[in-house]
Amino acid sequence: MVPNVNATPVLGRRGLYWQGGVCLVLLLGVGWLVRRHWPAVTHGAVRLAVADQGWLLVAAVAAVGTWASSALAQQGAVTCRLPGGRLVAAQFAASAANHVLPAGLGAGAVNLRFLMRCGLPAGRGASALAVKAAAGAVVRLALVAVLAPACPGLLRIPHVSVAALLAVAAAVVVVLVLVGARVWPRCRGAAAAVTADIRALHARPVRAAALWGGSLAFAGLHALVLIAVSRAVGLPLAPARVALLYLAASGAAALLPTPGGLGSLDAALALALTASGTPAAAAASAVLGYRLLTVWLPLLPGLLVLGVLIRRRAL
């Protein structure tokens, strides 16, 4: 019998309470911003309703492709062969669960249960998820490094004094010294397992290609969704600039533990677009369209697929 996998053992009840409180504060802040800028939001919704249908279709196809690319990356993160249909369905269900629980816990729990149902031990399944997440982070950083020189001046690094940097560095050192003695032995074992899995995967070129290709496609298709929606609403930005803004905003939003980036990603995207010179109404319509295609329209079908997978003991 497969052990029950849920969020409580991962973070503990106290951790969930803290994350729930942070989520509530962030969502209240986003609600206040939406109310303050309600005319721009409503104007953006109207603009989205009369947007170019062809570009919206491109965005919808790209959104569907994100689940297939996520499945490809997950297959590349394990050496054994996973059932293709169930794997794609699990990614679709995981994307829905990810918008219910904070900080990716929903997607992690669904994928871990799926891998365990496929015969992987819990430790190897968790290692596979870590490998996939690490590959995704490396790909996003590489894309930012490639796109940033092509869009000079788009990403502005705020000026920080040397004293502030030294103070932050000293605080980090103190935290590492105080916490490292307790945490490092556990992290060392997990890091060794992940490193061993990465070496085993890269010894098989097909698996390595699936891992890195799927991770690249996942980030690229999400950027393409925003690019296509931006084109549909007549956003006056080059595709490379939109892609770079998406990668920067999604990276910043990942630091905040809201469900699926709800609220944090919306605010980060809107702020990035308006800071680049986009009118507020156009930025609002682009963000609304992106979230509609990647979150709200697939949410109910994804939860239904999740229920079917659980009922059929595929999770």
Side-chain angles (χ1 to χ4, degrees):
M1 182 176 180
V2 178
N4 184 25
V5 179
N6 51 55
T8 303
V10 177
L11 289 179
R13 294 184 181 277
R14 182 175 297 180
L16 285 178
Y17 292 153
W18 274 105
Q19 289 217 358
V22 173
C23 287
L24 180 60
V25 171
L26 289 172
L27 291 176
L28 288 175
V30 171
W32 177 80
L33 289 174
V34 169
R35 182 176 180 181
R36 182 178 180 183
H37 300 283
W38 183 248
V41 174
T42 54
H43 191 274
V46 172
R47 187 170 181 171
L48 181 63
V50 296
D52 187 303
Q53 299 299 311
W55 279 112
L56 289 180
L57 179 60
V58 172
V61 173
V64 173
T66 60
W67 306 316
S69 60
S70 179
L72 181 63
Q74 189 62 76
Q75 174 62 85
V78 296
T79 54
C80 62
R81 184 170 181 82
L82 302 174
R86 286 167 52 196
L87 176 58
V88 175
Q91 302 312 302
F92 183 45
S95 67
N98 203 40
H99 294 98
V100 178
L101 293 176
L105 292 179
V110 170
N111 279 312
L112 183 56
R113 289 183 65 103
F114 171 75
L115 293 174
M116 292 173 67
R117 286 292 187 185
C118 292
L120 272 72
R124 295 299 300 275
S127 178
L129 296 182
V131 169
K132 180 184 176 185
V138 170
V139 164
R140 286 174 178 268
L141 288 175
L143 288 174
V144 170
V146 170
L147 291 173
C151 306
L154 187 62
L155 297 182
R156 301 180 181 87
I157 301 176
H159 175 72
V160 180
S161 65
V162 177
L165 290 176
L166 292 176
V168 171
V172 170
V173 170
V174 171
V175 171
L176 290 177
V177 170
L178 294 177
V179 180
R182 297 178 56 186
V183 175
W184 173 242
R186 300 178 183 178
C187 294
R188 183 170 52 189
V194 172
T195 302
D197 283 351
I198 290 175
R199 290 175 179 171
L201 291 170
H202 285 79
R204 305 179 63 178
V206 174
R207 289 291 184 265
L211 174 64
W212 293 104
S215 300
L216 178 61
F218 183 78
L221 286 171
H222 267 283
L224 180 57
V225 175
L226 185 60
I227 291 170
V229 172
S230 301
R231 290 289 180 178
V233 299
L235 204 67
L237 281 176
R241 298 174 72 85
V242 177
L244 182 56
L245 289 173
Y246 162 74
L247 292 168
S250 60
L255 301 176
L256 301 176
T258 56
L262 182 63
S264 58
L265 179 56
D266 303 78
L269 281 175
L271 179 62
L273 290 172
T274 52
S276 66
T278 303
S285 60
V287 174
L288 287 173
Y290 171 78
R291 297 300 266 176
L292 184 68
L293 292 172
T294 58
V295 178
W296 301 116
L297 289 180
L299 183 59
L300 181 57
L303 292 176
L304 291 175
V305 170
L306 177 61
V308 170
L309 290 174
I310 293 175
R311 185 173 181 179
R312 294 183 177 180
R313 298 185 180 276
L315 293 179

